Amino acid sequence: MQQGTELVVLSGVLTILLSSIMSVFLGRKWYKQEVRLMTDLPLVFAISGICQAVNSLILTLPNIGLLELTLELFRLRSLVIGGAIVPILGAILQIWTPSYQKYHTRTVILLTMYWFSIALLGPSEAIIMILTIPILLVISFTMMITFIITWKTGRLKEVRSELLIAAVLFMIASQILRVPFMSTSLFYIPDLLIVATMFCMAVGIANPWYSRETKSLRKESPQMVQIAE
């Protein structure tokens, strides 16, 4: 195996490991919550992280000779990416349109049916990308705008919105740069961006600063914490 291929495989393996670790961390954080909803950010990003780990695994297997780069493999990757996008849409709908919850499930189902239909029936990789990437970018930018607003307004203090903005930017950059960098000496940059994405997501959602502030307030004045919450 050539040195370049070895580095690609190493980069992919590290991405898989770190994405999995971050996803388990976020999943445990969600599970420990007193009230758990399917649209909670820790769960949403945990699912996205797991899908990203699977996506990196699919990208790595051809480099070690276990799979061939076929249209079927690309379809599988598209399905996995769809599995990461659908929960994010659910979270966006919950944040922006909480009073229209009866339409949330329908919207998520429609997106799921559309994405999976394109991934399974698209005649070529180019067509699949043309029909799915715009949706990926719209959802990603909407999530980024959401966190910009919560950052500027001071809402959603239980997360670090600025870190989540960075996470979304890293995620978008990793998707855009993967193809042009694939055959260059910068092939590892998209994987590094994915690692940065997962790290920013994990720290931004865990928000240890908020936890310390809350504990401090509880010690000083439990009544003030109740009012704040």
Side-chain angles (χ1 to χ4, degrees):
M1 185 180 291
Q2 297 180 350
Q3 183 178 3
T5 305
E6 291 176 348
L7 291 174
V8 171
V9 172
L10 178 60
S11 177
V13 170
L14 289 176
T15 301
I16 294 168
L17 290 175
L18 290 174
S19 296
S20 300
I21 291 170
M22 295 298 180
S23 296
V24 171
F25 170 76
L26 292 175
R28 288 188 63 186
K29 177 178 175 60
W30 174 78
Y31 185 75
K32 290 180 179 180
Q33 293 178 178
E34 295 181 2
V35 179
R36 295 188 293 271
L37 300 175
M38 296 304 294
T39 53
D40 289 338
L41 291 181
L43 178 62
V44 167
F45 286 123
I47 295 173
S48 296
I50 291 171
C51 290
Q52 181 55 62
V54 175
N55 183 39
S56 296
L57 176 62
I58 295 172
L59 288 171
T60 301
L61 290 177
N63 291 316
I64 58 179
L66 294 181
L67 289 176
E68 295 183 3
L69 290 172
T70 62
L71 179 59
E72 287 69 27
L73 189 64
F74 186 82
R75 293 187 193 280
L76 179 59
R77 278 194 61 214
S78 298
L79 290 174
V80 171
I81 293 172
I85 289 298
V86 169
I88 293 177
L89 174 63
I92 290 174
L93 292 174
Q94 185 63 33
I95 292 172
W96 284 99
T97 59
S99 58
Y100 296 94
Q101 290 195 14
K102 65 179 180 179
Y103 298 109
H104 292 182
T105 302
R106 301 176 193 176
T107 305
V108 170
I109 290 175
L110 284 174
L111 174 65
T112 303
M113 292 176 60
Y114 172 83
W115 191 288
F116 279 41
S117 297
I118 297 300
L120 293 173
L121 302 176
S124 66
E125 294 184 10
I127 295 299
I128 293 173
M129 287 190 292
I130 289 172
L131 295 176
T132 56
I133 287 179
I135 296 175
L136 173 65
L137 293 177
V138 168
I139 292 177
S140 299
F141 279 116
T142 302
M143 182 61 77
M144 184 175 66
I145 291 171
T146 300
F147 291 131
I148 290 175
I149 292 174
T150 58
W151 180 33
K152 293 295 185 180
T153 60
R155 297 179 61 188
L156 208 62
K157 292 183 178 180
E158 60 269 26
V159 301
R160 297 291 296 213
S161 295
E162 68 273 27
L163 289 176
L164 296 179
I165 294 169
V168 175
L169 287 173
F170 288 143
M171 180 180 64
I172 294 172
S174 70
Q175 297 299 320
I176 293 175
L177 297 177
R178 182 167 295 280
V179 174
F181 281 11
M182 187 176 295
S183 58
T184 71
S185 60
L186 299 175
F187 62 86
Y188 55 88
I189 295 297
D191 288 329
L192 290 179
L193 290 172
I194 291 172
V195 172
T197 296
M198 295 308 302
F199 178 79
C200 289
M201 282 184 180
V203 177
I205 293 175
N207 194 0
W209 301 276
Y210 180 78
S211 300
R212 286 197 295 266
E213 290 174 0
T214 302
K215 289 179 181 178
S216 177
L217 284 173
R218 288 186 187 278
K219 291 179 180 179
E220 295 177 2
S221 179
Q223 293 182 349
M224 289 180 63
V225 175
Q226 293 177 358
I227 294 173
E229 293 177 346

